[in-house]
Each structure stands twice: as C-alpha cells, then as structure tokens.
Amino acid sequence: QVRLVESGGGLVQAGGSLRLACAASGLTFSDQRMGWFRQAPGKEREFVARINWSGGGTLYADSVKGRFTISRDNAKNTVYLQMNSLKPEDTAVYYCAAAWRIRDYAYWGQGTQVTVSS
C-alpha cells in the first residue's frame, strides 16, 4: 500500500520560512518523480515544484521561483520543500505527489495546511 504523508505545515508570518516533508512508503522511492502542489480556498490545485527521481531536474512555478527549494533524500524516502520569504498568497493546503519516472502522478498525500499571516 502506497502512502505519502506530509508534515511541517503551520502558521507563519509573512517573510517567514517553513520546511515541508513528505515521507513515502510502499513504493520504490528512487524511481519516483516527486512533486509538490497546493490548493488555496476557492481555487484549483496548482503545481508548485517537482524533482526527478535522481535528484536533478527540478522545476518550479514562477510564483515560487527563488523562494522555494525542493530536495529529496532517497535513503529516507522523503522529499522536502523549503519555503522562504513566505507571502500571504502562499496560504494553501500543500500536497505531495509521486509519479513513476515520466508517467502521470498516481499517488497523493493527504495534504498539510500552510497559513501565512500578513
């Protein structure tokens, strides 16, 4: 059974930082492309960042480029999202997702709430 469990969300003031983590189990983590997505109230889910199975090939949404960093530790089956210089518009539920190599994302976590106060 595949499980993706996010952690690290919370309430932070604008300009602050948070580090999200997503622990994966039940799959071969080193074969997975991992992504972070977010969904704000009343909005559709949007792409935030992704990292290829080897740890290279990162990609970011324009809205977070230069502020967020995605990384992974294949020995710990965990992907991270370091979020700096947070803005109120970053407030959302953040989800991690897994995809085998170049396939579509097939597995999703339950999400973790990030709230940025102004």
Side-chain angles (χ1 to χ4, degrees):
Q1 180 183 1
V2 175
R3 290 192 69 201
L4 301 177
V5 180
E6 300 97 335
S7 61
L11 173 64
V12 63
Q13 288 189 332
S17 297
L18 283 174
R19 188 194 195 203
L20 305 184
C22 172
S25 61
L27 46 68
T28 305
F29 186 74
S30 58
D31 282 336
Q32 305 296 318
R33 182 179 82 254
M34 299 299 297
W36 284 98
F37 294 77
R38 67 186 182 186
Q39 187 166 20
K43 295 187 177 182
E44 293 188 352
R45 186 169 59 194
E46 64 174 0
F47 167 79
V48 175
R50 63 95 162 140
I51 186 168
N52 283 346
W53 49 95
S54 63
T58 57
L59 182 68
Y60 297 90
D62 287 343
S63 58
V64 307
K65 202 173 296 184
R67 300 187 297 122
F68 290 10
T69 303
I70 188 170
S71 62
R72 65 189 295 157
D73 185 338
N74 283 354
K76 295 183 178 180
N77 286 5
T78 301
V79 62
Y80 304 96
L81 187 69
Q82 177 67 44
M83 305 186 296
N84 299 329
S85 302
L86 282 161
K87 305 174 181 180
E89 50 264 44
D90 294 319
T91 295
V93 177
Y94 282 71
Y95 300 89
C96 72
W100 190 88
R101 298 295 176 104
I102 62 172
R103 291 184 180 172
D104 292 341
Y105 290 101
Y107 305 106
W108 295 82
Q110 82 290 347
T112 186
Q113 176 70 48
V114 171
T115 303
V116 184
S117 63
S118 57

